[in-house]
Amino acid sequence: MSKASPARSLTEGPIGRSLLLFSLPILAGNIAQSLNGSVNAIWVGKFLGEAALTATANANNIMFFLIGSVFGIGMAATILIGQSIGAKDLPQARRVMGTSATFFIGLSAVIAVAGWFLSHRLLLAMGTPAESLAMADAYLKVIFLGMPLIYAFAFFTAALRGAGDARTPFRFLLLSVLLDICINPLLIFGLGPFPELGVAGAAWATFFAQGLALAAMLLYLRNKRHMLWLGRKDAALLKIDPVILKALVIKGVPMGLQMVVISLAMIMMISMVNGYGVATASAYGAAMQLWTYVQMPAMAIGAACSSMAAQNVGAGRWDRVHATARTGVLFNFLLTGALIAPIILFDRSTLALFLPGDSPALEIGRHLNHISVWSFLFFGVTFVVSGVVRSTGAVVPPLLILAVAMWGIRVPFAKLLQPEFGVDAIWWSFPVSAFCSMLMVMAYYRWGNWRKAKMLEKHETDKLATPAEVPSTPPSPVADANLEVEADTDTVVETPAVR
């Protein structure tokens, strides 16, 4: 193994360039995932019909809810790892990794089992159209089987980003996407020796692709002796530490609830949309495919801002924390706006990728897109600013702001105004609620007490003194591969021990 050289962090260097370069692998990963979802939707919508596309849209809303129900633990771990790296405390970062991995993946397995038995009832509760119900159930059951793989991959990706490594998870995300795209038509249509599984084939393709990519990533981290890799000699770190678990739960549950609040609101929205029939529901499903691309820059920049802010909070660099927020908001407006314009101009062509050319859903999709897509400019500001605020440990106020926006504004707006405006009330509820959310989070950033929040209180931090089983330095940080990763972030860490 080559000798470790100085690695890189997010606590020094030009803010704009560092943020942009750190965001690029995350953005590329988001693009790859969205392209994968779009390719799947094209196979399903164009060749299996509108009912099949409606089935996957309903099932994917439930999947998003289930991911959100546990993903807050991963977000909390990311922030703790980032703060530890910024404070040059690698032993604590590795201990957080062990506790959170055990708890997070174990909980995801429980949810997967419960979801398998409840999938049909959940789809019924959403009002899934009868012609799509059986297909949605078959698709969702397979997705539930793959939940532990999906959760584990997402967790390791988030943990690596918290340590300042955005490029390694991107490589294996790209592998997963390529595998999924290749396997999809084989299992949907039964090409060659493969069985014809229809809509369920798309879910099985995701299962196999995610599992293979996860195995490859773990093997890579093991062979490179990555700073966050926990092998057999580190088995003691996989034992749950009550102090860290307390922080993960107290801070992670509110962050996970934000995902739940969003997903429950989306389920409520699609339930209302389902009441207008398959044409409107499939138009909404097709528009959502386009929306994934519009929100990608904001999500990538927000994730990068959260990791960068967490490291700088750990290092006590508050000037860089505030500069990160300002730069992130500016990048959001530039990049998100640059995507909205062509999607509006070429909406017929883009929606036609997911819908038959003579479908009545096509015009419905164009109409709703013209009203709703602008909401992602405001959503981006909320996402970026909330990520910076959460990096200190202030997790409850962003949750309350989101809850008010979704359940105090979006859902009531859509429900109460339908008698007067019909389905347009649903479409207008998106920009109205997003704008209100942006105003609230900006007010909290300006006047709130988020700067005084802590992920671990001081007396708890004292308990996390380096235990006997945690080495003061990693066995051997990633040499060549991670140097290449961190070179993209354009910032420097002084010692190999902190990476």
Side-chain angles (χ1 to χ4, degrees):
M1 183 139 339
S2 58
K3 184 180 179 180
S5 302
R8 307 178 75 89
S9 82
L10 303 172
T11 58
E12 297 180 9
I15 291 288
R17 183 166 183 249
S18 298
L19 182 61
L20 183 61
L21 292 178
F22 187 70
S23 301
L24 288 178
I26 302 176
L27 178 58
N30 290 345
I31 292 172
Q33 283 185 307
S34 296
L35 284 173
N36 184 32
S38 297
V39 170
N40 291 353
I42 290 171
W43 287 120
V44 172
K46 296 284 282 188
F47 297 97
L48 300 182
E50 295 174 0
L53 183 61
T54 301
T56 57
N58 278 267
N60 285 335
N61 272 279
I62 294 177
M63 181 177 68
F64 181 70
F65 164 76
L66 291 167
I67 291 174
S69 65
V70 298
F71 196 61
I73 305 299
M75 295 171 68
T78 300
I79 295 171
L80 280 172
I81 290 171
Q83 289 187 0
S84 299
I85 296 299
K88 305 185 186 301
D89 191 350
L90 178 60
Q92 181 173 323
R94 288 165 55 79
R95 195 162 186 170
V96 170
M97 185 73 179
T99 294
S100 54
T102 299
F103 180 69
F104 183 84
I105 297 173
L107 183 59
S108 71
V110 172
I111 291 176
V113 172
W116 170 272
F117 292 103
L118 295 174
S119 65
H120 188 77
R121 293 181 182 178
L122 290 171
L123 291 166
L124 283 175
M126 286 175 59
T128 304
E131 56 266 50
S132 302
L133 183 59
M135 289 185 287
D137 190 36
Y139 178 91
L140 189 58
K141 282 186 181 297
V142 180
I143 289 296
F144 275 125
L145 284 179
M147 276 294 171
L149 300 176
I150 295 171
Y151 290 159
F153 192 93
F155 167 73
F156 283 107
T157 294
L160 290 171
R161 289 173 181 170
D165 183 352
R167 193 165 176 178
T168 296
F170 165 68
R171 290 169 173 168
F172 293 98
L173 176 60
L174 185 61
L175 173 63
S176 172
V177 168
L178 293 175
L179 287 172
D180 200 346
I181 289 174
C182 293
I183 298 172
N184 239 296
L186 301 179
L187 297 181
I188 290 176
F189 306 112
L191 302 179
F194 298 95
E196 182 179 351
L197 301 176
V199 172
W204 278 113
T206 299
F207 178 92
F208 290 122
Q210 199 79 70
L212 291 171
L214 175 63
M217 180 166 66
L218 294 178
L219 184 62
Y220 174 85
L221 296 178
R222 176 182 178 274
N223 289 339
K224 290 292 184 178
R225 293 174 64 90
H226 192 280
M227 57 182 285
L228 294 181
W229 170 255
L230 303 179
R232 285 179 295 179
K233 294 181 180 179
D234 305 306
L237 296 179
L238 295 173
K239 181 179 179 180
I240 290 180
D241 184 299
V243 175
I244 296 176
L245 179 60
K246 176 183 175 183
L248 290 173
V249 172
I250 291 177
K251 302 298 184 180
V253 167
M255 286 189 283
L257 285 176
Q258 291 183 58
M259 300 278 287
V260 174
V261 165
I262 294 174
S263 59
L264 285 176
M266 294 304 293
I267 289 174
M268 178 64 72
M269 301 304 285
I270 201 171
S271 297
M272 287 188 275
V273 171
N274 285 336
Y276 290 88
V278 170
T280 301
S282 60
Y284 180 59
M288 288 177 67
Q289 288 294 325
L290 296 178
W291 294 353
T292 60
Y293 293 97
V294 179
Q295 67 186 358
M296 282 191 303
M299 295 182 68
I301 294 167
C305 284
S306 187
S307 295
M308 180 175 283
Q311 287 200 17
N312 283 285
V313 167
R317 296 292 308 273
W318 286 99
D319 57 325
R320 292 179 61 86
V321 172
H322 297 306
T324 297
R326 292 192 300 270
T327 306
V329 169
L330 175 62
F331 283 172
N332 162 70
F333 277 117
L334 293 176
L335 297 179
T336 302
L339 282 180
I340 288 177
I343 284 182
I344 290 294
L345 291 173
F346 304 106
D347 59 345
R348 180 183 290 276
S349 300
T350 51
L351 287 167
L353 290 172
F354 312 107
L355 297 166
D358 58 349
S359 171
L362 191 58
E363 288 303 317
I364 298 173
R366 293 185 66 210
H367 174 70
L368 75 90
N369 215 27
H370 284 208
I371 295 173
S372 302
V373 73
W374 304 98
S375 64
F376 291 100
L377 280 174
F378 314 132
F379 158 82
V381 176
T382 301
F383 199 88
V384 169
V385 176
S386 293
V388 173
V389 165
R390 286 194 300 264
S391 69
T392 65
V395 295
V396 174
L399 170 62
L400 296 178
I401 289 171
L402 191 62
V404 170
M406 292 292 170
W407 291 94
I409 300 173
R410 177 174 295 180
V411 172
F413 187 100
K415 287 183 70 71
L416 296 177
L417 295 183
Q418 277 186 73
E420 185 173 351
F421 296 105
V423 72
D424 277 0
I426 300 176
W427 314 144
W428 277 106
S429 70
F430 285 92
V432 169
S433 60
F435 182 73
C436 293
S437 177
M438 180 186 71
L439 293 180
M440 287 186 285
V441 79
M442 289 177 67
Y444 179 70
Y445 180 86
R446 175 65 178 82
W447 293 292
N449 293 323
W450 61 276
R451 298 163 188 82
K452 299 179 180 179
K454 302 290 183 183
M455 285 295 291
L456 285 171
E457 297 299 330
K458 190 174 188 304
H459 71 281
E460 292 179 329
T461 306
D462 293 341
K463 296 177 185 178
L464 290 177
T466 304
E469 73 273 13
V470 183
S472 59
T473 59
S476 175
V478 178
D480 300 333
N482 274 1
L483 291 176
E484 186 180 20
V485 169
E486 301 304 334
D488 287 345
T489 63
D490 197 43
T491 46
V492 179
V493 168
E494 300 298 333
T495 64
V498 235
R499 156 122 140 62

